[in-house]
Amino acid sequence: LERIPAIGVPTLVVAGSGDRTIPLEQSRRVFDAAGEPKLLHVVDADHNEPVLASGFLADPDVAQSFVLLTTTSQAGQGSVAS
């Protein structure tokens, strides 16, 4: 976690609320540690379910939100948790 703030790119964290391999709390810690811009998208899924494996590709609204966040955040900081 200590190296995550040094990542200099927009960060998308996709997490499953029922993930038994990587608990949601761990994904939230990664999100909290990340620099801006960042987006946390939580889906109702376990670790190996297709909707989680496809990440934001399964939800065009999430993809659009991430693109808008990363392009508009160059003028300021931004983060979104969904």
Side-chain angles (χ1 to χ4, degrees):
L1 283 176
E2 64 274 355
R3 294 191 288 173
I4 291 173
I7 297 173
V9 297
T11 303
L12 172 64
V13 177
V14 179
S17 60
D19 194 328
R20 293 173 286 166
T21 303
I22 301 173
L24 180 56
E25 296 77 29
Q26 183 176 346
S27 296
R28 288 190 189 279
R29 286 194 301 271
V30 169
F31 174 76
D32 290 342
E36 304 289 347
K38 59 186 176 180
L39 174 69
L40 171 64
H41 180 61
V42 179
V43 296
D44 184 23
D46 192 5
H47 190 75
N48 291 316
E49 291 185 39
V51 68
L52 188 57
S54 63
F56 69 96
L57 298 175
D59 189 340
D61 291 336
V62 175
Q64 181 179 19
S65 294
F66 187 64
V67 169
L68 288 173
L69 177 69
T70 59
T71 57
T72 59
S73 69
Q74 293 178 10
Q77 299 295 305
S79 65
V80 177
S82 64

Coordinates of all heavy atoms in Angstrom, one line a residue:
L1 N 0.8 -1.2 0.0 CA 0.0 0.0 0.0 C 0.8 1.3 0.0 O 0.4 2.3 -0.5 CB -0.9 0.0 1.2 CG -2.2 -0.9 1.2 CD1 -2.9 -0.8 2.5 CD2 -3.1 -0.5 0.0
E2 N 2.0 1.2 0.6 CA 2.8 2.4 0.7 C 3.3 2.9 -0.7 O 3.6 4.1 -0.8 CB 4.0 2.2 1.7 CG 5.0 1.2 1.2 CD 4.6 -0.3 1.7 OE1 3.6 -0.5 2.4 OE2 5.4 -1.2 1.3
R3 N 3.4 2.0 -1.7 CA 3.9 2.5 -3.0 C 2.7 3.0 -3.9 O 3.0 3.6 -4.9 CB 4.6 1.3 -3.7 CG 5.9 1.0 -2.9 CD 6.8 0.1 -3.7 NE 6.2 -1.3 -3.7 CZ 6.7 -2.2 -4.4 NH1 7.8 -2.1 -5.2 NH2 6.2 -3.4 -4.4
I4 N 1.5 2.7 -3.6 CA 0.4 3.1 -4.4 C 0.3 4.6 -4.7 O 0.0 5.0 -5.8 CB -0.9 2.5 -3.9 CG1 -0.9 1.0 -4.0 CG2 -2.1 3.1 -4.6 CD1 -2.0 0.2 -3.4
P5 N 0.5 5.4 -3.7 CA 0.4 6.9 -4.0 C 1.4 7.4 -5.0 O 1.1 8.4 -5.7 CB 0.7 7.5 -2.6 CG 0.3 6.5 -1.6 CD 0.7 5.2 -2.3
A6 N 2.4 6.6 -5.3 CA 3.4 7.1 -6.2 C 3.0 6.8 -7.7 O 3.7 7.2 -8.6 CB 4.8 6.4 -5.9
I7 N 2.0 6.0 -7.9 CA 1.5 5.7 -9.2 C 1.0 7.0 -9.8 O 0.1 7.6 -9.3 CB 0.4 4.6 -9.2 CG1 1.0 3.3 -8.6 CG2 -0.2 4.4 -10.6 CD1 -0.1 2.2 -8.4
G8 N 1.6 7.3 -10.9 CA 1.2 8.6 -11.5 C 0.2 8.6 -12.7 O 0.3 9.4 -13.6
V9 N -0.7 7.6 -12.6 CA -1.7 7.5 -13.7 C -3.1 7.4 -13.0 O -3.2 7.0 -11.9 CB -1.4 6.2 -14.6 CG1 -0.1 6.4 -15.3 CG2 -1.5 5.0 -13.8
P10 N -4.1 7.7 -13.8 CA -5.5 7.5 -13.3 C -5.7 6.0 -12.8 O -5.1 5.1 -13.5 CB -6.4 7.8 -14.5 CG -5.5 8.7 -15.3 CD -4.1 8.2 -15.2
T11 N -6.4 5.8 -11.8 CA -6.5 4.5 -11.2 C -8.0 4.1 -11.1 O -8.8 4.8 -10.6 CB -5.9 4.5 -9.8 OG1 -4.5 4.9 -9.8 CG2 -6.0 3.1 -9.1
L12 N -8.3 2.9 -11.6 CA -9.6 2.3 -11.6 C -9.5 1.1 -10.7 O -8.7 0.2 -11.0 CB -10.1 2.0 -13.0 CG -11.4 1.2 -13.0 CD1 -12.6 2.0 -12.4 CD2 -11.7 0.7 -14.4
V13 N -10.2 1.0 -9.7 CA -10.3 -0.2 -8.8 C -11.7 -0.8 -9.0 O -12.7 -0.1 -8.7 CB -10.0 0.1 -7.3 CG1 -10.2 -1.1 -6.4 CG2 -8.7 0.8 -7.1
V14 N -11.7 -2.0 -9.5 CA -13.0 -2.8 -9.6 C -13.0 -3.9 -8.6 O -12.1 -4.7 -8.5 CB -13.1 -3.4 -11.1 CG1 -14.4 -4.1 -11.2 CG2 -13.0 -2.3 -12.1
A15 N -14.1 -3.9 -7.8 CA -14.1 -4.8 -6.6 C -15.5 -5.5 -6.6 O -16.5 -4.9 -7.0 CB -13.8 -4.1 -5.3
G16 N -15.4 -6.7 -6.0 CA -16.7 -7.4 -5.8 C -17.1 -7.4 -4.4 O -16.3 -7.6 -3.5
S17 N -18.4 -7.0 -4.2 CA -18.8 -6.9 -2.8 C -18.8 -8.3 -2.1 O -18.8 -8.4 -0.9 CB -20.2 -6.3 -2.7 OG -21.2 -7.1 -3.5
G18 N -18.9 -9.4 -2.9 CA -18.9 -10.7 -2.3 C -17.6 -11.5 -2.6 O -17.5 -12.7 -2.5
D19 N -16.5 -10.7 -2.9 CA -15.3 -11.4 -3.3 C -14.6 -12.0 -2.0 O -14.3 -11.3 -1.1 CB -14.3 -10.3 -3.8 CG -13.1 -10.9 -4.5 OD1 -12.6 -12.0 -4.1 OD2 -12.6 -10.3 -5.5
R20 N -14.5 -13.3 -2.1 CA -13.9 -14.1 -1.0 C -12.4 -14.2 -1.1 O -11.7 -14.7 -0.2 CB -14.5 -15.4 -0.8 CG -16.0 -15.3 -0.4 CD -16.7 -16.6 -0.4 NE -17.0 -16.9 -1.8 CZ -17.3 -18.1 -2.3 NH1 -17.5 -19.1 -1.4 NH2 -17.5 -18.4 -3.5
T21 N -11.8 -13.8 -2.3 CA -10.4 -13.9 -2.5 C -9.7 -12.6 -2.1 O -8.7 -12.6 -1.4 CB -10.1 -14.2 -4.0 OG1 -10.7 -15.5 -4.3 CG2 -8.6 -14.4 -4.2
I22 N -10.2 -11.5 -2.6 CA -9.7 -10.2 -2.3 C -10.9 -9.4 -1.6 O -11.8 -8.9 -2.3 CB -9.2 -9.4 -3.5 CG1 -8.1 -10.2 -4.2 CG2 -8.7 -8.0 -3.1 CD1 -7.6 -9.6 -5.5
P23 N -10.9 -9.3 -0.3 CA -12.0 -8.7 0.4 C -12.2 -7.2 -0.1 O -11.3 -6.5 -0.4 CB -11.6 -8.7 1.9 CG -10.6 -9.8 1.9 CD -9.9 -9.8 0.6
L24 N -13.5 -6.8 0.0 CA -13.8 -5.4 -0.4 C -13.0 -4.4 0.4 O -12.6 -3.4 -0.1 CB -15.3 -5.2 -0.3 CG -15.8 -3.8 -0.6 CD1 -15.5 -3.4 -2.1 CD2 -17.4 -3.8 -0.4
E25 N -12.8 -4.7 1.6 CA -12.1 -3.8 2.5 C -10.6 -3.5 1.9 O -10.1 -2.4 2.0 CB -12.0 -4.3 3.9 CG -13.3 -4.4 4.6 CD -14.1 -5.6 4.2 OE1 -13.6 -6.6 3.8 OE2 -15.4 -5.5 4.2
Q26 N -10.0 -4.6 1.4 CA -8.7 -4.4 0.8 C -8.7 -3.6 -0.4 O -7.9 -2.7 -0.6 CB -8.1 -5.8 0.5 CG -6.7 -5.7 0.0 CD -6.1 -7.1 -0.2 OE1 -6.6 -8.1 0.2 NE2 -5.0 -7.2 -0.9
S27 N -9.7 -3.8 -1.3 CA -9.9 -2.9 -2.4 C -10.1 -1.5 -2.1 O -9.6 -0.6 -2.7 CB -11.0 -3.4 -3.3 OG -10.8 -4.7 -3.8
R28 N -10.9 -1.2 -1.0 CA -11.1 0.1 -0.6 C -9.8 0.8 0.0 O -9.6 2.0 -0.3 CB -12.2 0.2 0.5 CG -13.6 -0.1 0.0 CD -14.6 0.2 1.1 NE -15.9 -0.3 0.7 CZ -16.8 0.4 -0.1 NH1 -16.4 1.6 -0.6 NH2 -17.9 -0.1 -0.4
R29 N -9.0 0.0 0.6 CA -7.7 0.5 1.1 C -6.8 0.9 -0.1 O -6.1 2.0 -0.1 CB -7.0 -0.5 2.0 CG -7.6 -0.6 3.4 CD -6.7 -1.3 4.4 NE -6.4 -2.7 4.0 CZ -7.1 -3.7 4.2 NH1 -8.2 -3.6 4.9 NH2 -6.7 -4.9 3.9
V30 N -6.8 0.1 -1.2 CA -6.1 0.5 -2.4 C -6.6 1.8 -3.0 O -5.8 2.7 -3.3 CB -6.1 -0.7 -3.4 CG1 -5.6 -0.2 -4.8 CG2 -5.4 -1.9 -2.9
F31 N -7.9 1.9 -3.1 CA -8.5 3.1 -3.6 C -8.2 4.3 -2.7 O -7.8 5.3 -3.3 CB -10.1 2.9 -3.6 CG -10.8 4.1 -4.0 CD1 -10.8 4.6 -5.3 CD2 -11.5 4.9 -3.1 CE1 -11.5 5.7 -5.7 CE2 -12.2 6.0 -3.4 CZ -12.2 6.4 -4.8
D32 N -8.3 4.1 -1.4 CA -8.0 5.3 -0.5 C -6.5 5.7 -0.7 O -6.2 6.9 -0.6 CB -8.3 4.9 0.9 CG -9.8 4.8 1.2 OD1 -10.6 5.3 0.4 OD2 -10.1 4.1 2.2
A33 N -5.6 4.8 -0.9 CA -4.2 5.1 -1.0 C -3.8 5.7 -2.4 O -2.8 6.4 -2.5 CB -3.3 3.8 -0.8
A34 N -4.6 5.5 -3.4 CA -4.3 5.9 -4.7 C -4.4 7.4 -4.8 O -5.2 8.1 -4.2 CB -5.2 5.3 -5.7
G35 N -3.6 8.0 -5.7 CA -3.6 9.4 -6.0 C -4.8 9.7 -6.9 O -5.4 8.8 -7.5
E36 N -5.0 11.0 -7.1 CA -6.1 11.4 -8.0 C -5.6 11.4 -9.5 O -4.4 11.7 -9.7 CB -6.6 12.8 -7.6 CG -7.1 12.9 -6.2 CD -8.4 12.2 -5.9 OE1 -9.1 11.8 -6.9 OE2 -8.7 12.0 -4.7
P37 N -6.5 11.3 -10.4 CA -7.9 10.9 -10.3 C -8.0 9.3 -10.1 O -7.1 8.6 -10.4 CB -8.4 11.2 -11.7 CG -7.3 11.1 -12.6 CD -6.1 11.5 -11.8
K38 N -9.1 9.0 -9.5 CA -9.3 7.6 -9.2 C -10.8 7.3 -9.2 O -11.6 8.2 -9.0 CB -8.7 7.2 -7.9 CG -9.2 8.0 -6.7 CD -8.5 7.7 -5.4 CE -8.9 8.5 -4.3 NZ -8.2 8.2 -3.0
L39 N -11.2 6.0 -9.4 CA -12.5 5.6 -9.4 C -12.6 4.2 -8.8 O -11.8 3.3 -9.1 CB -13.1 5.5 -10.9 CG -14.5 4.9 -11.1 CD1 -15.5 5.9 -10.5 CD2 -14.8 4.7 -12.5
L40 N -13.6 4.0 -7.9 CA -13.8 2.7 -7.3 C -15.2 2.3 -7.8 O -16.2 3.0 -7.6 CB -13.8 2.8 -5.8 CG -14.3 1.6 -5.0 CD1 -13.4 0.4 -5.2 CD2 -14.4 1.9 -3.5
H41 N -15.2 1.1 -8.4 CA -16.5 0.5 -8.9 C -16.7 -0.8 -8.2 O -15.9 -1.7 -8.3 CB -16.4 0.3 -10.4 CG -17.7 -0.2 -11.0 ND1 -18.9 0.4 -10.8 CD2 -17.9 -1.4 -11.6 CE1 -19.8 -0.3 -11.4 NE2 -19.3 -1.4 -11.9
V42 N -17.8 -0.9 -7.4 CA -18.1 -2.1 -6.7 C -19.3 -2.8 -7.3 O -20.3 -2.2 -7.6 CB -18.4 -1.8 -5.2 CG1 -18.7 -3.1 -4.5 CG2 -17.2 -1.1 -4.5
V43 N -19.1 -4.1 -7.7 CA -20.2 -4.9 -8.3 C -20.6 -6.0 -7.3 O -19.8 -6.4 -6.5 CB -19.8 -5.5 -9.6 CG1 -19.5 -4.4 -10.6 CG2 -18.6 -6.4 -9.5
D44 N -21.8 -6.4 -7.4 CA -22.3 -7.5 -6.6 C -21.8 -8.8 -7.2 O -22.5 -9.5 -8.0 CB -23.8 -7.5 -6.5 CG -24.4 -8.5 -5.6 OD1 -23.7 -9.0 -4.6 OD2 -25.6 -8.8 -5.7
A45 N -20.6 -9.3 -6.8 CA -20.0 -10.5 -7.4 C -18.9 -11.0 -6.5 O -18.4 -10.3 -5.7 CB -19.4 -10.1 -8.8
D46 N -18.6 -12.3 -6.8 CA -17.5 -13.0 -6.1 C -16.3 -12.8 -7.1 O -16.4 -12.3 -8.2 CB -17.8 -14.4 -5.8 CG -16.8 -15.1 -4.9 OD1 -15.9 -14.4 -4.4 OD2 -16.9 -16.3 -4.7
H47 N -15.2 -13.3 -6.7 CA -13.9 -13.0 -7.4 C -13.9 -13.5 -8.8 O -13.4 -12.8 -9.7 CB -12.7 -13.7 -6.6 CG -11.4 -13.3 -7.1 ND1 -10.8 -12.1 -6.9 CD2 -10.5 -14.0 -7.9 CE1 -9.6 -12.1 -7.4 NE2 -9.4 -13.2 -8.1
N48 N -14.4 -14.7 -9.1 CA -14.3 -15.3 -10.4 C -15.6 -15.1 -11.3 O -15.7 -15.8 -12.3 CB -13.9 -16.7 -10.3 CG -12.5 -16.9 -9.8 OD1 -11.6 -16.2 -10.3 ND2 -12.2 -17.8 -8.9
E49 N -16.5 -14.3 -10.9 CA -17.7 -14.1 -11.7 C -17.4 -13.2 -12.9 O -16.6 -12.3 -12.8 CB -18.8 -13.5 -10.8 CG -19.3 -14.5 -9.8 CD -20.5 -14.0 -9.0 OE1 -21.4 -13.3 -9.6 OE2 -20.5 -14.2 -7.8
P50 N -18.0 -13.6 -14.0 CA -17.7 -12.8 -15.3 C -17.8 -11.3 -15.2 O -17.0 -10.6 -15.7 CB -18.7 -13.4 -16.3 CG -19.0 -14.8 -15.8 CD -18.9 -14.6 -14.3
V51 N -18.8 -10.8 -14.5 CA -19.0 -9.4 -14.4 C -17.8 -8.7 -13.7 O -17.4 -7.6 -14.0 CB -20.3 -9.0 -13.7 CG1 -20.3 -9.4 -12.2 CG2 -20.7 -7.5 -13.8
L52 N -17.2 -9.4 -12.7 CA -16.1 -8.8 -12.1 C -14.8 -8.9 -12.9 O -14.0 -8.0 -13.0 CB -15.8 -9.5 -10.7 CG -14.8 -8.9 -9.8 CD1 -15.0 -7.4 -9.6 CD2 -14.7 -9.6 -8.5
A53 N -14.7 -10.0 -13.6 CA -13.5 -10.3 -14.5 C -13.5 -9.3 -15.7 O -12.4 -8.9 -16.1 CB -13.5 -11.7 -15.0
S54 N -14.7 -8.9 -16.1 CA -14.7 -7.9 -17.3 C -14.6 -6.5 -16.8 O -14.4 -5.6 -17.6 CB -16.0 -8.1 -18.1 OG -17.1 -7.8 -17.3
G55 N -14.7 -6.3 -15.5 CA -14.5 -4.9 -14.9 C -15.5 -3.9 -15.5 O -16.6 -4.2 -15.7
F56 N -14.9 -2.8 -15.8 CA -15.8 -1.7 -16.3 C -16.3 -1.9 -17.7 O -17.2 -1.2 -18.1 CB -15.1 -0.3 -16.1 CG -13.9 -0.2 -17.1 CD1 -14.1 0.5 -18.3 CD2 -12.7 -0.6 -16.8 CE1 -13.1 0.7 -19.2 CE2 -11.6 -0.5 -17.7 CZ -11.8 0.2 -18.9
L57 N -15.7 -2.9 -18.4 CA -16.2 -3.1 -19.8 C -17.6 -3.6 -19.8 O -18.4 -3.5 -20.7 CB -15.3 -4.1 -20.5 CG -13.8 -3.7 -20.6 CD1 -13.0 -4.8 -21.2 CD2 -13.8 -2.4 -21.5
A58 N -18.1 -4.3 -18.7 CA -19.4 -4.8 -18.6 C -20.5 -3.7 -18.3 O -21.6 -3.9 -18.5 CB -19.5 -5.8 -17.5
D59 N -20.0 -2.5 -17.9 CA -20.9 -1.4 -17.6 C -20.4 -0.1 -18.3 O -19.5 0.5 -17.8 CB -20.9 -1.2 -16.1 CG -22.0 -0.2 -15.7 OD1 -22.4 0.6 -16.5 OD2 -22.4 -0.2 -14.5
P60 N -21.0 0.2 -19.5 CA -20.6 1.4 -20.2 C -20.6 2.7 -19.4 O -19.8 3.6 -19.6 CB -21.5 1.5 -21.4 CG -22.2 0.1 -21.5 CD -22.1 -0.5 -20.1
D61 N -21.5 2.8 -18.4 CA -21.6 4.0 -17.6 C -20.3 4.2 -16.8 O -19.8 5.3 -16.6 CB -22.8 4.0 -16.7 CG -24.1 4.1 -17.5 OD1 -24.1 4.7 -18.6 OD2 -25.1 3.7 -17.0
V62 N -19.8 3.0 -16.3 CA -18.5 3.1 -15.5 C -17.4 3.5 -16.4 O -16.5 4.4 -16.0 CB -18.2 1.8 -14.8 CG1 -16.9 1.8 -14.1 CG2 -19.3 1.5 -13.8
A63 N -17.3 2.9 -17.6 CA -16.2 3.3 -18.5 C -16.3 4.8 -18.9 O -15.3 5.5 -18.9 CB -16.3 2.4 -19.8
Q64 N -17.5 5.3 -19.1 CA -17.7 6.7 -19.4 C -17.3 7.6 -18.3 O -16.6 8.6 -18.4 CB -19.1 7.0 -19.9 CG -19.3 8.4 -20.3 CD -20.7 8.7 -20.7 OE1 -21.6 7.9 -20.4 NE2 -20.9 9.8 -21.4
S65 N -17.7 7.2 -17.1 CA -17.4 8.0 -15.9 C -15.8 8.0 -15.7 O -15.3 9.1 -15.3 CB -18.0 7.3 -14.6 OG -19.4 7.4 -14.7
F66 N -15.2 6.9 -15.9 CA -13.7 6.9 -15.7 C -13.0 7.8 -16.8 O -12.1 8.5 -16.4 CB -13.2 5.4 -15.8 CG -11.7 5.3 -15.4 CD1 -11.3 5.6 -14.2 CD2 -10.8 4.9 -16.4 CE1 -9.9 5.5 -13.8 CE2 -9.5 4.7 -16.1 CZ -9.0 5.1 -14.8
V67 N -13.5 7.7 -18.0 CA -12.9 8.5 -19.0 C -13.1 10.0 -18.7 O -12.2 10.8 -18.8 CB -13.4 8.1 -20.4 CG1 -13.0 9.2 -21.5 CG2 -12.9 6.7 -20.8
L68 N -14.3 10.3 -18.4 CA -14.6 11.7 -18.0 C -13.8 12.2 -16.8 O -13.3 13.3 -16.8 CB -16.1 11.9 -17.8 CG -17.0 11.8 -19.0 CD1 -18.5 11.8 -18.6 CD2 -16.7 13.0 -20.0
L69 N -13.7 11.3 -15.8 CA -13.0 11.7 -14.6 C -11.5 12.0 -15.0 O -10.9 12.9 -14.5 CB -13.1 10.6 -13.6 CG -12.2 10.7 -12.3 CD1 -12.8 11.9 -11.5 CD2 -12.3 9.5 -11.5
T70 N -10.9 11.1 -15.8 CA -9.5 11.3 -16.1 C -9.2 12.4 -17.0 O -8.2 13.0 -16.9 CB -8.9 10.0 -16.7 OG1 -9.6 9.6 -17.9 CG2 -9.0 8.8 -15.7
T71 N -10.2 12.8 -17.9 CA -9.9 13.9 -18.8 C -10.3 15.2 -18.2 O -9.6 16.2 -18.4 CB -10.7 13.7 -20.1 OG1 -12.1 13.6 -19.8 CG2 -10.3 12.5 -20.9
T72 N -11.3 15.3 -17.3 CA -11.6 16.5 -16.6 C -10.7 16.8 -15.4 O -10.6 17.9 -15.0 CB -13.1 16.6 -16.2 OG1 -13.4 15.5 -15.3 CG2 -14.0 16.5 -17.4
S73 N -10.1 15.8 -14.9 CA -9.3 16.0 -13.6 C -8.0 16.6 -13.9 O -7.3 17.1 -13.0 CB -9.1 14.6 -12.9 OG -8.2 13.8 -13.7
Q74 N -7.6 16.8 -15.2 CA -6.4 17.5 -15.5 C -6.5 18.9 -15.1 O -5.5 19.6 -14.8 CB -6.1 17.3 -17.0 CG -5.7 15.9 -17.3 CD -5.4 15.7 -18.8 OE1 -5.3 16.6 -19.5 NE2 -5.3 14.4 -19.2
A75 N -7.7 19.4 -15.0 CA -7.9 20.8 -14.5 C -8.0 20.9 -13.0 O -7.9 21.9 -12.4 CB -9.2 21.4 -15.2
G76 N -8.3 19.7 -12.4 CA -8.4 19.7 -10.9 C -8.4 18.2 -10.5 O -8.4 17.3 -11.3
Q77 N -8.5 18.0 -9.2 CA -8.5 16.6 -8.7 C -9.9 16.1 -8.7 O -10.8 16.8 -8.6 CB -7.9 16.6 -7.3 CG -6.5 17.1 -7.2 CD -5.5 16.3 -7.9 OE1 -5.4 15.1 -7.7 NE2 -4.7 16.8 -8.9
G78 N -10.0 14.7 -8.8 CA -11.3 14.1 -8.8 C -11.2 12.7 -8.4 O -10.3 12.0 -8.7
S79 N -12.2 12.2 -7.6 CA -12.4 10.8 -7.3 C -13.8 10.5 -7.2 O -14.6 11.4 -6.8 CB -11.6 10.5 -6.0 OG -12.2 11.1 -4.9
V80 N -14.2 9.3 -7.5 CA -15.5 8.8 -7.5 C -15.5 7.4 -6.9 O -14.7 6.6 -7.2 CB -16.2 8.8 -8.9 CG1 -17.6 8.3 -8.8 CG2 -16.1 10.2 -9.5
A81 N -16.5 7.2 -6.0 CA -16.7 5.8 -5.5 C -18.1 5.4 -5.9 O -19.1 6.2 -5.6 CB -16.5 5.7 -4.0
S82 N -18.3 4.3 -6.6 CA -19.6 3.9 -7.0 C -20.0 2.5 -6.3 O -19.1 1.8 -5.9 CB -19.8 3.8 -8.5 OG -18.9 2.8 -9.0

